[in-house]
Structure formats: structure tokens, C-alpha cells
Amino acid sequence: MRGRFITIEGTEGVGKTTNIDYIKQWLDDNGISFVNTREPGGTPLAEEIREVLLSNREEQVCSKAELLMMFAGRAQHIDQVIEPQLAMGNWVLCDRFTDATYAYQGAGREMGNALIESLETMVQGSMRPDLTLVLDVPVELGLERAGKRSEPDRFELEKTDFFNRVRQAYLSMAEKSPERYKVIDASNSLVQVQQQISLVLCNFLNKHQDEISSQ
Ligand code: Z5A
């Protein structure tokens, strides 16, 4: 059976990296074979594109160039990693995917959704994640958490308004499709956040197993 595609999303510093380690352990404990990957990135070429996208530079990167680079990396990532793994029956756990494009380029950069929808169809066809965890924290808290780490990249230099638009876009996608998106209140303690994640994953796995047994 084809593997399942799980994506993790959220604004700056919500705890994606931290909780992905927890999810990896959870998948291992449940005997699920998976690959863990990320966007932008996930293949050598797409990681090079990531470097270009995140690095600070004097030249202003225009929004359309940024958008096309996101999808260029994604096309390569899907072709080389995501599709082959899913086809082999492995699950794919991905730190950000196209919802980040709707949130950051569509809402953050105020490009709207129409162009993104066309590129999504071109690059992905009908392929979409099976489950998307949206880790949600107030923007200020996320920025404070992220700020404790390293030098800010090109996105991290954006203003609070930008991240508020990104956050609202995620919440609105989740509201429209509650069967796919699960919003996790990530402002709680890590233990509480991981309890919520575990509950979502258990429900998802049960559904998956029901589907297998009904085949
Ligand atoms: N981007 C885009 O524009 N369009 C696209 O299509 C795609 C991406 C795919 C790179 O993403 C950038 O690309 C991203 C959007 C853009 N830019 N931004 N902003 P990324 O995923 O590589 O980078 P990121 O969003 O900046 O992730 P991050 O900064 O690494 O944050 P995180 O992984 O969500 O957080 P973390 O490192 O796990 O946690 C941050 C700190 O908080 C850390 O010290 C933790 O120990 C702490 N933490 C975490 N959870 C808790 C709780 N519950 N309590 C207390 N402290 C906590």
C-alpha cells in the first residue's frame, strides 16, 4: 500500500524541528518505516536552492523569483524523494510543504493564491499531504523562541505583520479542511504539545489501519 504523507507547518520558532524528533520516535515505536525530509530542500539540488532562498543578500529577491525557486526545489524533491518513497509504501514526514507557499508567499508576501494554485497543479498534479500538523503559537512568542538561536535568515528578518498574515493563512486553511489539517496549540509546554501530537497521530494511524483492513 502507498505510504502516507505527513507535513509539519507553522510560523517562525513554533517548534517544528523539536517536535519532528518526537514524531520520528513515535513512528519508530509504531513500526512504521518512513523518511524525514524538509522544504525548501530534501535533495542535493533542492538544498542548493534552499541556500539561495534563505541567504541574506544585497539584491532584492522579487516575490515571483522566490515563488518559482520554491516550486523548482519542490518539483525535484517530489520526483527524487517523496513520490518514490510513497510508492514503496514508506511514509514521508516533511518539515514544511506547499502550505508554506500559500502562507509565506501567498499571504506573507501578499501574492494571493491563484498563481500558487497553478504551480501546485503543474508540479504536484493531485498529490497533497494526507495529514498536516499546524503548530500554532502567537507570532511574538515564536519570534522570541527563534531569536534565542542563530543569526536570522532572509525570512526571519521580516516584520511581525508579515508573520501575522502567515499565521492567519495557516489557521484559515485549517478551518477550511479540518479533516486534513490538525492545529496544535504549541504555546503549551513541550510535554503538553507532544501529548496533542500523539493523539492526532494515533487517530490518523487507526484510520490508516481501518483502510488497510477494509481492502
Ligand atoms: N518557506 C517559504 O517561504 N515558502 C515555502 O514554500 C517553504 C518555506 C517550504 C525556512 O523554513 C524558511 O522557508 C521559512 C519559511 C520559508 N522561514 N521562516 N520563517 P524552516 O522551516 O527551515 O525555518 P523556520 O520556520 O525558521 O523553522 P525554525 O526557525 O527552525 O523553527 P522551528 O523548527 O519551528 O522551531 P524549533 O527550532 O523547534 O524551536 C525553536 C525554539 O523554541 C527552540 O529553542 C526550542 O527548544 C524552543 N521550543 C520549542 N517548543 C517549545 C515549547 N513547547 N516550549 C518552550 N520552548 C519550545
Side-chain angles (χ1 to χ4, degrees):
M1 184 178 180
R2 190 176 159 85
R4 297 291 158 145
F5 184 23
I6 301 179
T7 57
I8 321 292
E9 299 279 358
T11 50
E12 199 41 33
V14 288
K16 289 180 292 87
T17 312
T18 312
N19 286 296
I20 279 173
D21 285 342
Y22 175 79
I23 298 171
K24 281 159 63 180
Q25 187 60 53
W26 190 95
L27 291 169
D28 271 337
D29 292 347
N30 283 279
I32 294 165
S33 60
F34 68 94
V35 293
N36 176 209
T37 184
R38 68 172 181 183
E39 289 211 351
T43 81
L45 172 61
E47 288 290 330
E48 283 184 43
I49 297 174
R50 178 187 176 94
E51 280 293 315
V52 173
L53 276 162
L54 298 195
S55 58
N56 290 304
R57 59 187 68 240
E58 276 176 29
E59 180 182 352
Q60 177 81 27
V61 180
C62 85
S63 298
K64 280 187 183 162
E66 182 177 281
L67 175 66
L68 291 170
M69 283 190 272
M70 289 294 174
F71 271 105
R74 183 162 299 138
Q76 184 71 6
H77 190 201
I78 292 171
D79 185 74
Q80 296 292 305
V81 178
I82 300 177
E83 264 304 330
Q85 290 293 332
L86 293 173
M88 280 191 285
N90 293 325
W91 289 29
V92 174
L93 174 63
C94 191
D95 184 346
R96 297 193 183 281
F97 193 62
T98 307
D99 294 314
T101 313
Y102 282 107
Y104 281 81
Q105 281 65 50
R109 302 259 185 255
E110 300 182 280
M111 296 184 80
N113 288 349
L115 190 51
I116 301 174
E117 282 164 3
S118 314
L119 290 166
E120 181 181 41
T121 304
M122 184 185 96
V123 168
Q124 297 170 223
S126 61
M127 192 268 259
R128 300 289 179 274
D130 298 299
L131 171 68
T132 297
L133 297 172
V134 177
L135 303 190
D136 182 57
V137 301
V139 166
E140 289 75 10
L141 177 58
L143 290 174
E144 190 192 313
R145 284 181 185 171
K148 290 186 186 148
R149 288 173 327 184
S150 50
E151 283 302 297
D153 63 35
R154 201 169 58 79
F155 288 94
E156 289 166 346
L157 290 171
E158 289 295 336
K159 305 266 181 301
T160 307
D161 278 0
F162 174 93
F163 291 111
N164 274 319
R165 289 196 295 276
V166 171
R167 181 184 183 207
Q168 287 315 315
Y170 278 128
L171 294 177
S172 130
M173 286 187 272
E175 202 180 350
K176 280 187 200 134
S177 304
E179 63 295 340
R180 195 236 290 179
Y181 298 86
K182 303 296 169 198
V183 179
I184 306 290
D185 181 353
S187 58
N188 290 321
S189 73
L190 206 49
V191 173
Q192 288 169 316
V193 172
Q194 292 174 349
Q195 279 168 350
Q196 294 177 71
I197 291 177
S198 167
L199 191 65
V200 168
L201 291 175
C202 285
N203 288 337
F204 182 73
L205 182 60
N206 287 340
K207 232 173 74 187
H208 172 72
Q209 284 170 337
D210 286 349
E211 273 176 44
I212 293 178
S213 46
S214 69
Q215 277 177 359

